[in-house]
Every structure is written in structure tokens, then in C-alpha cells.
Amino acid sequence: MVRPNQEKVNFKQVDLQDPKVSKSLKESFTKIKQNFPQGDRPINILGGSLPRTYLRGTKKDINSGQQTSQKTIEVLAAYYQLLIKPDGKEKILSNEDKKVIFIPQGTLFEIPFAALYDNQAKQYLIEKHTILTSPSVQALDMLHKRQQKGKLNNKVLQNKDWLILGIEEAKPKKLCSQNVQLNKLPGAKQEAKDIASVLFQGEAMEEKTEAAVRQKMPQARMIHLATHGLLNNCEEDAEVPGAIALDGSGEEGENNDGWLTASEISQMKLQAELIVLSACDTALGRLTGDGVIGLSRSALAAGSSSAIVSLWKVEDYSTAFLMKEFYTQLKEQQSKLGKLDKAEALRQAMLKTKNYVDKNTKKKIYSEPYQWSAFTLVGEPTTQLEKR
């Protein structure tokens, strides 16, 4: 654990093989696995961390009206105990910490840290802390320096700096010589319209082809793409898996096939402060000792200071609500504070989504962790803007 402005770095190590520690953890996970839903992806393969897979598996229960909260809480509380309070006594994170940067390894990159649950305080971790992740300390330092050197990064955002696109019915060409069935996403289109309205009383980008998006991306400082995301590439061992669904165009070539792949993004020269990939599974990819190789890593490699990506197949309407709240927070920060704190904006958006009460039913309709905790911020959290 590294605290800012401290010369001394404190390391806290817990032996998970210690009988006193492992006994309660083993009992917790045994109980959880007995009632574990199969979901749509088995455990222990790519994208198979326990809490992530469990939360994905709750979607059917939520849609059928069944109560899933207690099962979900058990999973999230067990991981809170494992990662935040492993010895059962002292928490690794103190109450004084406001912003926490997790640097995970391996499958820990797939943990929804925001949703980890403190059974004693009856709070999710996001209710206590602002959270983001980074592939490494070196990457965090590199991204911070990159942003400081950026020529436009401290300028107040103008309408021309935005690329906002939401696609209700993407029409890419065949992927790996096969047709891919994509459901309509009415929430994605509405999401883009709402964000554009919140930001500059304007309209979202209408042209949906890959060629048009690729042309616009290098000039944009803030990029938001709401559409379908695919984790799979043509080959299972693809070097950089992941793709975003857009529209194909008449020209031949993979640059016009409607699939904006992680490999293609990594080869761009971007100046974006933030790329939001508001689609399914955009935080995932090939797990290595150096983190996840996929869409988020490609965005950072291409020049973006940060990315917001998802850990599972997100729900259409709760995601649209969350994203509108996120950009509302950013707009208020720019006008009132003279900065963009992307991590804090995401935190507030999650909390507002979690606590939103529907006017008609008078009930919280997005309260399940599945609905509000899928997205994570990777990279540089804050942009300090110059005074007008």
C-alpha cells in the first residue's frame, strides 16, 4: 500500500494459507459454490473470476423478479474479507482513504471492486471510496506524465472535443466469415442523445460506419461509444482480443467491416483524455502476468489517458442511466471546480444509479450490483483545467 506524500512505503502481507485465515474463507466459498448459478460462461476460463461470473449469472433472476440480493451479498462479502480484511481484524483500507487505486494481478483484474461488501458496516466499497485501477505503478506514472504534457488536456472542453455515438442496431459485416446476431439496443441510442443534450444541448454523431468513427477519433478529447462489444476474435489465441460493433461500409478491407478491433485501436494516434466503451465485456481480454490485454489496454496504448470499460454483459437501460449521470457529474465539475475527476464522477454515477427510485413504481429499479458496478476506470483519474 502506497499513500500519497509519504516517503515510506508500507507493505501489508497476509498468509492466506494460515489456518486461522483460510478456515473462514474456505467455509464462505464452499457455501457460495453450492448454490452457484451456471450463468453463460464456466468458471476458471477467460473472464471467469468468481464474483464477476456470479453477478453476470444474476441477470436472469433479476428479470424474473426473484430475490438475488442475499446470494450476491455473500459472494461480495467473501471477497471483501479476502481482499480488504483478510485477517479478520484490520482493514487494509482505512476510513480516511478517499481515492483508492487498485493494481490487480491475473484474474483480480476482473473483480468488481466497487461492489465488494462490508458486512459489518453494511456498505459497498464504492460507498466509502473512489475507486480506479491501473495495470501497474509504472503505467500510472506514464499516463500521468502523458496527460501533463498534452497540449490540449488542460483546456476547457468544447463541443468539438466530443465524439458521442450510440447505436441501436449495429450492422457490421461478417466476423470470421460468419454472421453475428446482435440484438437491438434502444437504450444505447437514447444514451448518446441524453449525453449530448446534457453536455452541449446538441446531437450525437449520426454517421455510424467504422470509417467515419476512425476518422473522428484522433481529433476527439472525449470519446463515448455505446454499442455491442465482443470479447472473441477470429482466433482464440488472438494477440489482442476484443471488438466494438459499428456499421460496415461499401469499401473492401477490414478497416470498413464495421468491427473496430482492439488491434486497430492500438495502432491509432489518439489525444483523448477518456474513452468510454459503453458495451459488453470491454474490460476483458487475454490475462497475462502484466494484466489484461484487450480493448482497455489498446485505448491506453493508442494515447488515451484513461478508459472506462465493463466487466460483463451490461444491462441496456441501467447503463444508459448511469452514463447520463456520469457526464452530468463531469459537466458540473468543469463549471464549478475547474477540473474533471473521472473517478469521482463514476463513483457518484454508480451511487445515483444504485439509489434511483422510479417515479411510477416508487421502487429502486437499478439497485442490484449487476446493474451499477460493471464499469471500472483504468488510468489517470483527474484532469486539472485552466481557468477561463
Side-chain angles (χ1 to χ4, degrees), residues 289-310:
D290 192 34
V292 176
I293 307 298
L295 286 163
S296 61
R297 182 69 68 89
S298 294
L300 300 181
S304 179
S305 297
S306 58
I308 289 180
V309 286
S310 64

Side-chain angles (χ1 to χ4, degrees), residues 59-277:
K59 181 178 181 181
K60 295 179 181 178
D61 293 332
I62 292 171
N63 291 341
S64 64
Q66 297 178 20
Q67 179 57 257
T68 62
S69 295
Q70 188 54 42
K71 292 180 182 179
T72 303
I73 289 296
E74 288 179 2
V75 175
L76 299 174
Y79 266 78
Y80 179 92
Q81 180 185 354
L82 175 66
L83 299 173
I84 309 301
K85 198 175 181 181
D87 57 6
K89 297 179 182 179
E90 182 182 357
K91 291 184 292 185
I92 292 177
L93 302 177
S94 67
N95 292 331
E96 290 76 28
D97 292 322
K98 293 185 178 180
K99 187 168 290 179
V100 180
I101 303 173
F102 287 98
I103 302 176
Q105 186 173 12
T107 57
L108 291 181
F109 270 95
E110 299 169 354
I111 297 291
F113 291 103
L116 299 187
Y117 190 75
D118 184 345
N119 246 333
Q120 290 185 335
K122 305 301 179 185
Q123 286 183 308
Y124 293 99
L125 195 60
I126 197 65
E127 295 179 277
K128 303 179 183 182
H129 304 286
T130 300
I131 296 170
L132 63 147
T133 61
S134 175
S136 65
V137 173
Q138 292 85 352
L140 199 64
D141 180 59
M142 180 269 292
L143 293 170
H144 179 71
K145 290 178 179 177
R146 174 195 290 173
Q147 188 194 63
Q148 295 298 312
K149 294 179 180 178
K151 296 180 180 180
L152 300 176
N153 288 345
N154 66 338
K155 304 291 184 181
V156 174
L157 291 169
Q158 306 293 328
N159 291 357
K160 62 182 178 62
D161 295 325
W162 294 85
L163 190 170
I164 303 171
L165 176 64
I167 303 180
E168 178 176 1
E169 188 175 8
K171 297 179 180 179
K173 297 180 180 179
K174 292 182 178 181
L175 180 67
C176 312
S177 302
Q178 295 182 1
N179 291 316
V180 178
Q181 297 296 322
L182 299 175
N183 298 328
K184 288 187 177 182
L185 297 174
K189 185 176 181 179
Q190 188 62 45
E191 174 182 324
K193 288 184 177 180
D194 288 344
I195 293 169
S197 176
V198 165
L199 293 175
F200 46 79
Q201 292 76 48
E203 296 182 353
M205 183 175 176
E206 291 292 335
E207 182 61 64
K208 301 180 293 182
T209 64
E210 181 184 354
V213 174
R214 289 169 64 93
Q215 183 179 14
K216 175 71 173 176
M217 285 180 69
Q219 287 78 45
R221 290 175 61 195
M222 305 288 280
I223 299 171
H224 182 94
L225 301 177
T227 180
H228 278 286
L230 265 66
L231 178 60
N232 300 324
N233 272 24
C234 293
E235 300 177 6
E236 292 184 3
D237 59 349
E239 184 176 350
V240 188
I244 294 293
L246 303 169
D247 278 4
S249 55
E251 297 86 352
E252 293 297 326
E254 61 181 22
N255 291 347
N256 302 303
D257 62 5
W259 295 105
L260 183 59
T261 67
S263 295
E264 290 170 340
I265 293 175
S266 67
Q267 296 169 15
M268 293 182 177
K269 293 183 178 180
L270 304 179
Q271 60 177 351
E273 293 167 47
L274 175 66
I275 296 180
V276 179
L277 299 178

